[in-house]
């Protein structure tokens, strides 16, 4: 792989050991994937933030990179951490975990990484434009950036994303290149989808059909989709199929002509219903945990939760997961006060998947297909996927009951 003179100097250690290690990581990755060169990136999103995933070994590596002079050269933010950084006690996080999680965040801060911990960086200022080369790690955000924003990123791992931040570069392969971004299969959706959980179920169906194929779907038949629907779809199709790029006719940018594509398949309403049913194994009476915000909630979704909870009483553990800056808007708009008065809890900076809550609950209700997947596989919870409003209402005292 060809390096510029500046990159060669980085490799020779002229800019410190952390930069040197970073270039080594990127060069090794580039060699594996046949990249000819490194290219500049303008935005980075780093995964591997929860101490429950990193452990002491991961923290030691971050500390070493910080001590080795590693400093982010481009805008870099974090994926969710294992706790609400300001309000971890309310979520039942132990003091020991909180201390370790804070050590992780401090290491990132020493490297000038912005410690906003969110899987929706595109909602809070880390927002690339069409055709911008970036290096993001969170699979749902990668899919959203490539497909909805039209930016260009591979799915980075934690170390390669950090290396991109510390050098401002990434190897040029995969979704940075035009040929890898061409649609390869047409998908016709013969059903109306209009709700986050519908989009999650649709993402599961398409993802499972494409799993392991690296195919880029071009999806027909979706009439309208909100930002919230699209982030839900991205999270699901990435989780169930590893899809990092799709096109949706008349909804996402740069949907090139696909009339010559031979491969295609159709999705029916029954397929979507079957996918939805497969994510429900919890009985209503077993539900002891309710969570919204996978991926992290938009301010519009928080406003809707406040509207639905106004004057009601929450009787289940109910987490509202979002990015810290979005919560700050909710604070100012008065939504937080309404939601907390009802008894729901904000879980900013974290989520029901990366928080260390394995085995703590029996059954989760959510509107997220991705959350169903990980709540079951990682935390051993039963799950039920429902439409957004029904999720909120499943956490509250039934009408007419006495306190
Ligand atoms: Fe985000 Fe956690 Fe879901 S990182 S996409 S809320 S699993």
């Amino acid at each position: 792989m060809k390096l510029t003179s500046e990159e060669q100097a980085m490799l020779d250690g002229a800019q410190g050991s952390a930069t040197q290690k970073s270039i080594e990581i990127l060069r090794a990755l580039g060699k594996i994937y046949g990249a000819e060169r490194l290219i500049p990136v303008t935005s980075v999103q780093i995964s591997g933030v929860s101490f429950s995933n990193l452990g002491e070994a991961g923290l030691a590596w971050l500390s070493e990179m910080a001590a080795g002079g590693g400093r982010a050269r481009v805008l870099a933010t974090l994926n969710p951490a294992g706790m609400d950084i300001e309000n971890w006690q309310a979520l039942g996080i132990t003091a020991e975990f909180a201390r370790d999680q804070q050590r992780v965040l401090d290491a990132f801060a020493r490297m000038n990484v912005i410690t906003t911990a969110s899987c929706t960086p595109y909602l809070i200022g880390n927002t690339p434009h069409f055709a911008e080369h970036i290096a993001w790690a969170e699979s749902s955000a990668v899919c959203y950036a490539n497909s909805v924003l039209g930016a260009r990123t591979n799915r980075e791992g934690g170390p390669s994303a950090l290396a991109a931040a510390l050098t401002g570069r990434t190897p040029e392969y995969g979704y940075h290149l035009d040929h890898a971004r061409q649609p390869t299969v047409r998908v016709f959706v013969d059903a109306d989808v209009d709700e986050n959980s519908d989009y999650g179920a649709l993402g599961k169906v398409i993802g499972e059909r494409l799993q392991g194929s690296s195919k880029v779907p071009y999806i027909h038949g979706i009439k309208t989709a909100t930002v919230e629907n699209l982030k839900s779809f991205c999270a699901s199709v990435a989780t169930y199929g590893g899809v990092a790029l799709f096109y949706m006719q008349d909804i996402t940018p740069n949907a090139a002509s696909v009339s010559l594509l031979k491969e295609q398949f159709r999705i029916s309403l029954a397929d979507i219903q079957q996918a939805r049913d497969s994510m429900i194994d919890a009985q209503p009476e077993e539900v002891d945990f309710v969570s919204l915000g996978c991926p992290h909630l938009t301010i519009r979704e928080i406003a809707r939760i406040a509207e639905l909870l106004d004057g009601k009483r929450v009787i289940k553990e109910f987490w509202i997961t979002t990015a810290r800056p979005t919560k700050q808007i909710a604070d100012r708009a008065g939504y937080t006060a309404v939601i907390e008065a009802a008894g729901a809890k904000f879980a900013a900076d974290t989520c029901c998947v990366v928080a260390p809550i394995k085995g703590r609950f029996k059954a989760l209700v959510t509107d997220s297909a991705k959350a169903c997947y990980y709540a079951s596989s990682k935390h051993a919870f039963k799950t039920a996927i429902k439409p957004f409003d029904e999720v909120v209402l499943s956490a509250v005292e039934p009408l007419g009951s006495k306190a």
Side-chain angles (χ1 to χ4, degrees), residues 194-196 226 228-229 231 292-293 297-312 314 318 320 322 326 329-330 333-336 338-340 342 344 346 367 387-394 396:
D194 61 3
E195 217 283 331
N196 288 352
T226 63
E228 291 79 5
N229 298 154
K231 78 177 165 67
L292 283 170
L297 293 165
T298 64
I299 192 64
R300 183 158 52 185
E301 289 175 313
I302 294 173
R304 179 66 181 153
I305 295 169
E307 193 180 341
L308 290 167
L309 286 185
D310 193 9
K312 305 237 174 39
V314 166
F318 184 7
I320 313 290
T322 193
T326 309
I329 298 171
Y335 304 143
T336 304
V338 172
I339 289 167
E340 291 185 340
F346 270 87
D367 72 335
F388 188 92
D389 287 8
E390 286 182 35
V391 173
V392 177
L393 297 176
S394 70
V396 303

Side-chain angles (χ1 to χ4, degrees), residues 79-80 119 138 140 235 293-296 321 350-354 370 374:
N79 214 31
C119 51
E138 156 58 32
S140 67
C294 174
H296 274 171
T321 68
T350 188
C351 77
C352 68
V353 169
V354 298
K370 176 173 181 175
Y374 284 105

Side-chain angles (χ1 to χ4, degrees), residues 47-201:
S47 64
V49 179
S50 174
F51 182 77
S52 63
N53 297 335
L54 275 175
E56 279 298 337
L59 174 57
W61 185 74
L62 290 176
S63 303
E64 194 185 320
M65 294 297 270
R71 299 293 178 268
R73 292 166 193 248
V74 295
L75 176 63
T77 58
L78 296 177
N79 214 31
M83 63 182 196
D84 183 307
I85 297 165
E86 295 180 5
N87 198 24
W88 48 268
Q89 294 97 331
L91 304 183
I93 303 294
T94 65
E96 185 189 4
F97 182 88
R99 189 203 61 215
D100 289 333
Q101 183 64 75
Q102 192 58 54
R103 288 162 65 211
V104 171
L105 296 165
D106 291 346
F108 280 119
R110 283 200 297 282
M111 291 186 274
N112 291 349
V113 173
I114 295 171
T115 54
T116 299
S118 177
C119 51
T120 56
Y122 47 87
L123 295 176
I124 52 165
N126 190 354
T127 318
H129 62 66
F130 181 78
E132 197 166 347
H133 292 279
I134 62 175
W136 284 13
E138 156 58 32
S139 66
S140 67
V142 165
C143 189
Y144 193 97
N146 276 324
S147 314
V148 182
L149 304 178
R152 296 184 168 214
T153 180
N154 291 313
R155 185 185 174 187
E156 303 295 341
S160 69
L162 180 62
L166 302 188
T167 60
R169 288 160 168 82
T170 198
E172 187 182 40
Y173 72 94
Y175 295 112
H176 292 285
L177 298 169
D178 287 345
H179 70 81
R181 301 183 64 87
Q182 295 310 309
T184 51
V185 54
R186 295 170 84 180
V187 179
F188 294 88
V189 179
D190 302 321
D192 287 339
V193 280
D194 61 3
E195 217 283 331
N196 288 352
S197 58
D198 295 338
Y199 279 86

Side-chain angles (χ1 to χ4, degrees), residues 230-357:
L230 290 168
K231 78 177 165 67
S232 204
F233 179 77
C234 287
S236 181
V237 80
T239 296
Y240 290 95
V243 173
L245 169 64
F246 64 86
Y247 296 90
M248 211 176 253
Q249 187 180 25
D250 297 334
I251 290 176
T252 65
N254 201 26
S257 166
V258 285
S259 54
L260 295 178
L261 276 184
K262 289 202 178 66
E263 189 176 347
Q264 62 180 57
F265 59 86
R266 307 194 84 88
I267 307 280
S268 68
L269 184 59
D271 295 327
I272 295 171
Q273 189 55 45
Q274 196 178 40
R276 181 184 281 281
D277 291 347
S278 72
M279 292 182 274
I280 303 174
D281 64 352
Q283 298 301 317
E285 62 276 11
E286 293 179 302
V287 171
D288 54 357
F289 186 34
V290 179
S291 185
L292 283 170
C294 174
H296 274 171
L297 293 165
T298 64
I299 192 64
R300 183 158 52 185
E301 289 175 313
I302 294 173
R304 179 66 181 153
I305 295 169
E307 193 180 341
L308 290 167
L309 286 185
D310 193 9
K312 305 237 174 39
R313 195 167 76 94
V314 166
I315 54 169
K316 307 248 165 79
E317 180 83 1
F318 184 7
W319 286 15
I320 313 290
T321 68
T322 193
R324 175 74 46 193
T326 309
K327 172 162 186 296
Q328 286 164 344
I329 298 171
D331 294 349
R332 289 201 192 146
Y335 304 143
T336 304
V338 172
I339 289 167
E340 291 185 340
K345 295 175 183 173
F346 270 87
D349 322 307
T350 188
C351 77
C352 68
V353 169
V354 298
I357 55 172

